[in-house]
């Protein structure tokens, strides 16, 4: 279905064909997973005697000595998971990290299940109604499904919530502000003696002047006392060659922009007259140059040497539609250097854009004008298509997670039938059995979803910080919606799967076990 869904979004036609390599890979992975996870239960029955098998309905299997093969199979399971994760990520470090996170998630959910069973046993409220006490007691009864369901439901909730949160995280990264107030025209190569005339022309047509940016071209000549030529000849230096040879277009101003924040040192908007000038570097550029706040650099400003001190390091959001710079000087240093200017404005209609371009070309033929409206509309269209693809893949994966939730609830159906028979034999009504099941599923859904949400919040924070390099955000309303949805889904699935549990005659069930 994917080629037909993405036909309008891709510039090429994707023909439908079967990848037999992918088919073989899927069959091999599926068979390997089935065999690996069947080994532990098969291992536990290889020493069971026929007599014990016949008495299994009435006698429990006596605990035996520790089986060394169990440890070997557990090791094979872990190695298999690492190998599968490595083949998917193409990097062994990411494969190992993913496997470790899965094991830690299992350990956390297993610990939560043990705490739930222990707390239910020790702090069972004696004053609660019988139905509530019985439903809570079912969490630690013999042959209970608390561990299995907390693991399954918790992992399902973890998967669904993490996918939902990452989906919104990605969409927030590619979303753009609305067209209202967004700059859509840029004028550059404006000389200093032309700046006032161009500004007056723009304002005469009713367009706002959003930004006036001076541009000065410089080169890096020294880094911490070493010249660029010495660093290029030194085989031990780690600075990329392009950073030492390129021309930097920098600016000067007194204030930070909304796309910048200082992460080291202190911002200085105006240069002091009695000391060496300071500059602010983008933090990634400073890292590649190997400099920190307080280190010394020297620039070649069109033939004039300019020694400076690194005053601050800035983190810059390059995704925002704002002119950003690697190097920013304070005012009072570069005003006398040869420079050009960039003006940023916004026009409200295509007619105004055409009039402005004609007037600029007629009065200032050296000034270049770029109408960004077409570029921005094309970019917005592409981002809308990317958003659709992300939503589609997220919903496709979320359906898989919901299948895990439904399958987890269905695993305890046989135990529920036996318990309902015992309760009805002891005099419980059909309504009481139904309410006991509802209370049990309610507790399991609430505890499992809370544990899964804690894992999802942790995973989303780690992905936002270390992988996507984006600010972490997880709204309370979507989180509460996921929590309520998982609990309701657990209740609904549990009750639908238990329809034959509380309605089965005791004699029929007892005869089926003999």
């Amino acid at each position: 279905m994917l080629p037909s869904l993405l036909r309008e979004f891709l510039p090429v036609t994707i023909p439908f064909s079967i990848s037999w390599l992918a088919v073989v890979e899927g069959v091999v992975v599926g068979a390997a997973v089935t065999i690996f996870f069947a080994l532990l239960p098969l291992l536990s029955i290889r020493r069971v005697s026929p007599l014990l098998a016949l008495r299994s309905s009435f006698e429990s299997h006596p605990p035996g000595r520790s089986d060394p093969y169990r440890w070997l199979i557990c090791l094979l399971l872990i190695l298999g998971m690492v190998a599968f994760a490595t083949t998917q990520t193409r990097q062994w470090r990411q494969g190992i990290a993913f496997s470790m996170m899965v094991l830690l998630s299992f350990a956390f959910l297993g610990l939560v299940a043990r705490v739930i069973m222990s707390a239910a046993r020790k702090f069972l409220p004696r004053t609660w109604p019988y139905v509530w006490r019985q439903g809570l007691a079912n969490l630690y009864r013999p042959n209970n499904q608390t561990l299995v369901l907390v693991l399954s439901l918790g992992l399902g909730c973890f998967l669904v919530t993490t996918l939902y949160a990452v989906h919104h995280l990605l969409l927030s990264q590619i979303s753009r502000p609305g067209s209202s107030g967004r700059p859509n025209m840029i004028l550059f190569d404006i000389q200093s003696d032309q700046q006032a005339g161009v500004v007056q022309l723009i304002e005469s047509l009713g367009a706002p002047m959003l930004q006036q940016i001076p541009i000065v071209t410089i080169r890096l000549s020294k880094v911490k006392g070493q010249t660029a030529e010495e660093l290029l000849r030194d085989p031990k230096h780690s600075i990329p060659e392009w950073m030492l040879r390129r021309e930097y277009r920098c600016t000067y101003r007194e204030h930070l922009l909304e796309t910048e924040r200082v992460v080291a040192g202190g911002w200085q908007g105006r240069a002091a007259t009695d000391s060496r000038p300071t500059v602010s570097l983008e933090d990634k550029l400073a890292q590649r140059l190997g400099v920190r706040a307080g280190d010394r650099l020297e620039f070649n400003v069109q033939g004039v040497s300019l020694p400076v001190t690194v005053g601050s390091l800035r983190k810059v959001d390059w995704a925002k539609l704002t002119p950003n710079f690697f190097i920013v000087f304070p005012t009072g240093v570069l005003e006398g250097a040869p420079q050009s200017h960039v003006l940023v404005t916004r026009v409200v209609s295509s007619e105004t854009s055409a009039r402005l371009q004609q007037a600029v070309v007629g009065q200032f033929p050296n000034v270049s004008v770029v109408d960004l409206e077409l570029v921005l509309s094309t970019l917005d269209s592409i981002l809308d298509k990317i958003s659709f693809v992300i939503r589609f893949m997220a919903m496709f994966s979320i359906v898989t997670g919901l299948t895990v939730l439904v399958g987890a609830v269905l695993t305890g159906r046989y135990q529920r039938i036996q318990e309902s028979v015992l309760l009805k034999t002891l005099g419980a009504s059909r309504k009481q059995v139904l309410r006991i099941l509802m209370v049990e599923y309610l507790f399991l859904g609430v505890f499992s979803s809370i544990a899964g949400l804690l894992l999802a919040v942790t995973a989303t924070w780690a992905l936002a910080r270390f992988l996507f390099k984006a600010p972490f955000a997880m709204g309370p309303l979507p989180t509460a919606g996921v929590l309520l949805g998982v609990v309701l889904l657990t209740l609904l699935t549990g009750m639908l799967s238990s329809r034959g549990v509380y309605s089965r005659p005791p004699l029929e069930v007892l005869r089926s076990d003999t």
Side-chain angles (χ1 to χ4, degrees), residues 129-147:
Y130 167 74
V131 170
W132 284 87
R133 286 187 284 113
Q134 183 64 26
L136 187 60
N138 282 350
L139 299 179
Y140 63 86
R141 71 190 186 282
N143 297 321
N144 68 81
Q145 295 291 299
T146 301
L147 178 60

Side-chain angles (χ1 to χ4, degrees), residues 148-169:
V148 174
L149 289 179
V150 168
L151 283 172
S152 302
L153 291 173
L155 285 173
C157 180
F158 174 32
L159 171 65
V160 171
T161 310
T162 303
L163 286 171
Y164 183 83
V166 172
H167 155 251
H168 279 275
L169 181 67

Side-chain angles (χ1 to χ4, degrees), residues 191-470:
Q191 303 304 308
S192 298
D193 57 348
Q194 298 175 322
Q195 183 180 4
V198 176
V199 170
Q200 183 179 2
L201 177 60
I202 293 174
E203 293 178 345
S204 66
L205 295 176
M209 185 53 54
L210 301 179
Q211 285 183 306
Q212 302 184 45
I213 306 166
I215 304 292
V216 180
T217 302
I218 62 176
R219 285 183 177 272
L220 185 61
S221 56
K222 285 185 180 181
V223 178
K224 294 191 290 188
Q226 286 188 285
T227 65
E229 289 75 14
E230 292 173 348
L231 291 171
L232 290 173
R233 291 194 300 266
D234 185 2
K236 297 181 179 180
H237 85 89
S238 58
I239 303 176
E241 181 177 345
W242 65 268
M243 299 185 75
L244 298 172
R245 295 186 181 278
R246 65 165 289 177
E247 284 188 341
Y248 293 90
R249 288 171 175 80
C250 65
T251 189
Y252 56 89
R253 58 173 181 262
E254 292 187 359
H255 58 279
L256 288 169
L257 300 179
E258 62 178 6
T259 58
E260 304 171 317
R261 63 182 178 89
V262 175
V263 295
W267 171 262
Q268 184 176 356
R270 180 171 291 276
T273 58
D274 56 348
S275 62
R276 180 191 292 256
T278 61
V279 296
S280 180
L281 301 183
E282 192 257 352
D283 59 339
K284 297 295 179 58
L285 175 68
Q287 182 181 357
R288 301 294 294 274
L289 290 175
V291 298
R292 298 177 295 179
D295 290 338
R296 296 192 172 188
L297 302 174
E298 185 173 308
F299 292 105
N300 185 328
V301 185
Q302 302 185 27
V304 178
S305 296
L306 179 61
V308 298
T309 301
V310 179
S312 64
L313 305 181
R314 294 168 295 115
K315 183 173 288 295
V316 180
D317 185 0
W318 297 99
K320 295 295 180 63
L321 193 65
T322 302
N324 293 302
F325 295 86
F326 285 114
I327 304 169
V328 177
F329 280 79
T331 58
V333 179
L334 295 179
E335 280 79 355
Q339 58 191 272
S340 61
H341 298 267
V342 172
L343 302 181
V344 180
T345 184
R346 170 171 178 77
V347 294
V348 296
S349 63
S350 57
E351 292 78 7
T352 305
S353 173
R355 290 169 53 197
L356 177 58
Q357 293 183 59
Q358 291 176 356
V360 169
V361 171
Q363 300 182 33
F364 309 99
N366 63 294
V367 175
S368 300
V369 182
V370 176
D371 189 346
L372 300 178
E373 194 62 42
L374 179 60
V375 177
L376 292 174
S377 61
T378 304
L379 182 59
D380 287 341
S381 175
I382 294 174
L383 293 179
D384 289 340
K385 296 173 182 178
I386 295 175
S387 300
F388 171 80
V389 174
I390 293 175
R391 290 190 181 96
F392 177 82
M393 297 307 296
M395 292 305 301
F396 189 82
S397 302
I398 286 174
V399 170
T400 306
L402 295 178
T403 307
V404 173
L405 294 180
V406 174
V409 176
L410 293 174
T411 57
R413 176 180 172 82
Y414 179 72
Q415 285 77 11
R416 301 301 186 277
I417 294 176
Q418 290 185 320
E419 292 156 11
S420 67
V421 167
L422 292 175
L423 290 172
K424 292 172 72 174
T425 304
L426 294 173
S429 65
R430 177 179 175 180
K431 184 179 294 186
Q432 285 179 318
V433 174
L434 176 62
R435 290 178 178 176
I436 290 171
L437 291 175
M438 290 182 64
V439 170
E440 181 182 1
Y441 283 122
L442 176 64
F443 281 123
L444 286 174
V446 170
F447 292 140
S448 302
S449 57
I450 291 176
L453 282 176
L454 291 176
L455 286 175
V457 170
T458 304
T460 305
W461 172 84
L463 289 171
R465 179 179 177 87
F466 300 109
L467 182 61
F468 299 115
K469 309 295 183 182

Side-chain angles (χ1 to χ4, degrees), residues 21-237:
L21 178 61
V23 172
V24 172
E25 181 182 357
V27 172
V28 170
V29 171
V33 170
T34 305
I35 292 172
F36 277 146
F37 282 92
L39 287 178
L40 282 177
L42 290 176
L43 190 67
S44 64
I45 66 172
R46 80 186 196 280
R47 294 177 178 174
V48 176
S49 64
L51 182 60
L52 184 60
L54 294 175
R55 294 179 174 177
S56 61
S57 299
F58 310 97
E59 298 181 6
S60 60
H61 180 58
R65 58 185 177 84
S66 178
D67 194 340
Y69 286 106
R70 294 183 63 86
W71 296 102
L72 177 60
I73 292 177
C74 290
L75 179 61
L76 288 176
L77 283 171
I78 296 174
L79 293 178
M81 180 171 58
V82 172
F84 176 75
T86 302
T87 58
Q88 298 301 309
T89 60
R90 309 299 181 184
Q91 295 185 15
W92 64 270
R93 290 184 179 178
Q94 292 187 7
I96 293 177
F98 170 81
S99 303
M100 291 298 297
M101 292 302 104
V102 170
L103 293 176
L104 288 176
S105 300
F106 269 95
F108 173 74
L109 292 173
L111 178 62
V112 169
R114 296 298 182 185
V115 170
I116 291 172
M117 289 187 285
S118 177
R121 180 182 294 108
K122 293 180 179 180
F123 306 106
L124 183 65
R126 302 298 177 184
T127 58
W128 283 15
Y130 167 74
V131 170
W132 284 87
R133 286 187 284 113
Q134 183 64 26
L136 187 60
N138 282 350
L139 299 179
Y140 63 86
R141 71 190 186 282
N143 297 321
N144 68 81
Q145 295 291 299
T146 301
L147 178 60
V148 174
L149 289 179
V150 168
L151 283 172
S152 302
L153 291 173
L155 285 173
C157 180
F158 174 32
L159 171 65
V160 171
T161 310
T162 303
L163 286 171
Y164 183 83
V166 172
H167 155 251
H168 279 275
L169 181 67
L170 292 176
L171 290 182
S172 66
Q173 289 301 297
I174 66 173
S175 63
R176 308 192 64 84
S179 59
S180 178
R182 187 172 60 182
N184 59 7
M185 181 166 288
I186 181 169
L187 299 87
F188 55 94
D189 285 342
I190 303 171
Q191 303 304 308
S192 298
D193 57 348
Q194 298 175 322
Q195 183 180 4
V198 176
V199 170
Q200 183 179 2
L201 177 60
I202 293 174
E203 293 178 345
S204 66
L205 295 176
M209 185 53 54
L210 301 179
Q211 285 183 306
Q212 302 184 45
I213 306 166
I215 304 292
V216 180
T217 302
I218 62 176
R219 285 183 177 272
L220 185 61
S221 56
K222 285 185 180 181
V223 178
K224 294 191 290 188
Q226 286 188 285
T227 65
E229 289 75 14
E230 292 173 348
L231 291 171
L232 290 173
R233 291 194 300 266
D234 185 2
K236 297 181 179 180
H237 85 89

